[in-house]
Amino acid sequence: MRINALPSGNGFNFEISHAPEKSLARVGKISTPHGDIATPAFIPVGTKATVKAVLPETMKELGAQALLSNAYHLYLQPGPDVLDEAGGLARFMNWPGPTFTDSGGFQVLSLGVGFKKVLAMDAQTFRSDDVIAGNKERLAHVDDEGVTFKSHIDGSMHRFTPEVSMQVQHKIGADIIFAFDECTTLHNTRKYQEKALERTRLWGIRCLDEHQKLTLERSEKPYQALYGVIQGAQYEDLRKKAATDMAALRSTDPDAPIGFDGFGLGGALDKKTLGTILTWMNEILPAQKPRHLLGIGAPEDLFIGVENGIDTFDCVLASRIARTSAVYTMVGRNNLSNAINRRAFEPIDDECDCYTCTHYTKAYLHHVFRGKEIIAATLATIHNERFIVRLVDQMRAALISGDYFEFKEQFMGRYKHLSGQARD
Ligand SMILES: [Zn+2]
């Protein structure tokens, strides 16, 4: 049944085909100039225009529909001009499908302050606002105009503003790009959250203006869809305000004001309240526009996202833990380096259809991890990415067939919790 379509002549479109009752979940299709994405979908992360250790062809074979790279990293190296000259991100990295880029806001704001640990909910290590605002050691300074930061590569100084983020992301040329936002932590004060939220709203208007200008100037390039980012930390009124504001935001062009093509749900999210916070936002955001949950990818969180109205997810966790020999299985996480795997002449997971599981044993993987062979990262990453991509594919199939909650119960009954939220 076709419920909602957003007509569009620019190559970007989102269409919902199923919206089961009793939840905010939906099944749909995002169309981009580089191809379609059946949603809900997990989008693997290739931070620097590469999913570490795995060829793009292999990512395609294992079922990845799109990849997400990072504007901050690509801005520093090789530089947006190189990507522009190469014909855009997808062509540059030989990826035959849609791409996303993160705005760079999260990365520049998190420089040198251990932000990733905060996102991993390591509450003891941090206190305060001053994670962003007062630490003498910090490598990033935020003001109303933008963020000044020090490159983690060579220490050189740079400045990102909403306009710069749009210029960089237009040159990189991904199909879906994100507005520049101020990402806060759960430890900022309420007052600071309010200030950051208003800043993100004003930056959203500047992003829309610059995006509109660049889209017109570069009309020969494939259309890029711009998603606004919803912040507001753990506060119900702030999350709802952000969702209301960002849904209504328009560029200042009096003749043809434009709004966002979709929305990114961001910020520090506590695992326990994830579902509730997503509901606050998704009950307000326009149903016909796609929603991306930034940096979330642990299996139990993916279920919560899907049933609370998320269409796409990205997370570096699957590939990052793979390189440390940690792999997902139907019964929880396994560490291939553990001695128990030395003579385990069986696949990582009997039920997995990935290339690694159909050709290699845990004993072999144990051996190559212990020997620090490069192939270890490749084989483990293939398995983990396939595991997560397939899990979301299975959720989509279960939503269509009407047995989503049975599928969830069956999966979670066997799976032991593995925590994680991670952006790169
Ligand atoms: Zn596998």
Side-chain angles (χ1 to χ4, degrees):
M1 179 180 48
R2 183 173 154 146
I3 295 172
N4 235 317
L6 193 69
S8 163
N10 54 28
F12 182 81
N13 190 39
F14 178 55
E15 196 172 306
I16 296 173
S17 57
H18 294 76
E21 288 172 21
K22 288 190 264 176
S23 80
L24 291 172
R26 56 261 196 99
V27 174
K29 183 176 76 177
I30 297 172
S31 303
T32 80
H34 289 87
D36 297 341
I37 304 165
T39 62
F42 178 74
I43 314 300
V45 177
T47 304
K48 302 176 187 174
T50 164
V51 176
K52 292 190 200 320
V54 180
L55 289 171
E57 296 89 313
T58 307
M59 291 306 296
K60 193 78 187 171
E61 280 165 23
L62 67 78
Q65 301 185 69
L67 298 179
L68 180 141
S69 291
N70 190 272
Y72 161 76
H73 291 277
L74 294 175
Y75 159 80
L76 289 178
Q77 197 177 62
D81 290 342
V82 173
L83 281 130
D84 200 17
E85 284 168 38
L89 176 61
R91 186 179 291 176
F92 184 56
M93 70 184 288
N94 189 35
W95 168 251
T99 49
F100 294 57
T101 45
D102 207 341
S103 73
F106 172 84
Q107 286 73 23
V108 301
L109 284 160
S110 61
L111 279 171
V113 293
F115 215 66
K116 281 176 188 166
K117 287 189 184 171
V118 173
L119 288 181
M121 280 123 228
D122 182 0
Q124 274 104 38
T125 338
F126 289 90
R127 44 192 166 90
S128 82
D129 273 9
D130 313 320
V131 167
I132 289 173
N135 181 346
K136 283 186 193 127
E137 304 288 317
R138 71 195 188 280
L139 297 177
H141 298 254
V142 61
D143 57 62
D144 288 341
E145 285 302 300
V147 183
T148 302
F149 61 95
K150 208 173 197 179
S151 159
H152 73 286
I153 298 174
D154 61 7
S156 55
M157 295 306 292
H158 300 265
R159 187 159 168 81
F160 261 31
T161 62
E163 290 78 14
V164 170
S165 175
M166 290 299 102
Q167 289 154 13
V168 167
Q169 291 190 84
H170 269 259
K171 284 187 174 172
I172 294 172
D175 298 291
I176 294 171
I177 65 179
F178 288 89
F180 193 63
D181 62 311
E182 181 175 0
C183 188
T184 57
T185 80
L186 293 172
H187 305 283
N188 289 111
T189 59
R190 160 83 197 199
K191 207 173 159 202
Y192 194 88
Q193 303 286 6
E194 287 171 13
K195 193 175 160 189
L197 206 67
E198 177 59 7
R199 198 177 259 157
T200 295
R201 189 184 74 80
L202 295 171
W203 287 1
I205 299 169
R206 288 166 58 188
C207 285
L208 283 166
D209 281 345
E210 188 68 15
H211 172 65
Q212 186 166 21
K213 178 175 153 251
L214 292 167
T215 302
L216 288 170
E217 278 173 14
R218 296 164 57 90
S219 59
E220 76 290 358
K221 304 278 182 185
Y223 181 75
Q224 297 176 268
L226 175 62
Y227 284 22
V229 179
I230 317 290
Q231 294 284 352
Q234 69 273 44
Y235 299 103
E236 180 173 1
D237 60 331
L238 296 187
R239 285 283 178 184
K240 287 182 170 174
K241 181 181 188 304
T244 307
D245 286 351
M246 296 312 252
L249 221 58
R250 295 291 180 272
S251 63
T252 58
D253 183 335
D255 301 323
I258 60 158
F260 290 117
D261 297 295
F263 300 93
L265 278 50
L269 291 159
D270 186 336
K271 236 177 162 48
K272 283 187 284 228
T273 52
L274 178 63
T276 309
I277 292 177
L278 294 180
T279 306
W280 294 338
M281 296 183 282
N282 285 338
E283 282 179 348
I284 289 172
L285 290 172
Q288 74 276 16
K289 293 197 174 180
R291 305 159 184 161
H292 180 90
L293 183 54
L294 288 151
I296 298 278
E300 64 274 21
D301 298 336
L302 294 170
F303 279 102
I304 290 172
V306 164
E307 65 210 41
N308 288 293
I310 297 298
D311 303 303
T312 51
F313 303 86
D314 75 272
C315 191
V316 294
L317 205 65
S319 57
R320 182 180 289 162
I321 67 168
R323 296 194 299 278
T324 69
S325 78
V327 285
Y328 296 110
T329 79
M330 289 299 285
V331 292
R333 184 165 156 170
N334 187 0
N335 193 318
L336 296 166
S337 296
N338 290 349
I340 197 171
N341 292 315
R342 188 161 171 237
R343 289 192 170 81
F345 300 108
E346 58 197 24
I348 297 169
D349 190 325
D350 292 337
E351 294 166 50
C352 182
D353 61 0
C354 85
Y355 186 83
T356 303
C357 288
T358 52
H359 293 82
Y360 295 90
T361 63
K362 284 189 278 192
Y364 180 71
L365 283 150
H366 174 81
H367 160 68
V368 291
F369 268 109
R370 295 297 283 244
K372 299 190 166 50
E373 297 291 345
I374 291 168
I375 198 175
T378 303
L379 293 174
T381 305
I382 289 171
H383 167 78
N384 273 1
E385 292 285 8
R386 173 62 188 157
F387 187 93
I388 298 293
V389 163
R390 184 176 178 222
L391 178 61
V392 180
D393 288 352
Q394 289 170 326
M395 292 181 204
R396 185 170 66 244
L399 285 170
I400 294 170
S401 62
D403 49 11
Y404 170 84
F405 286 102
E406 290 85 336
F407 171 71
K408 179 187 177 184
E409 200 175 320
Q410 202 179 28
F411 179 89
M412 291 308 300
R414 296 170 65 195
Y415 190 81
K416 293 170 197 150
H417 279 210
L418 171 66
S419 71
Q421 177 183 17
R423 291 173 77 181
D424 210 349

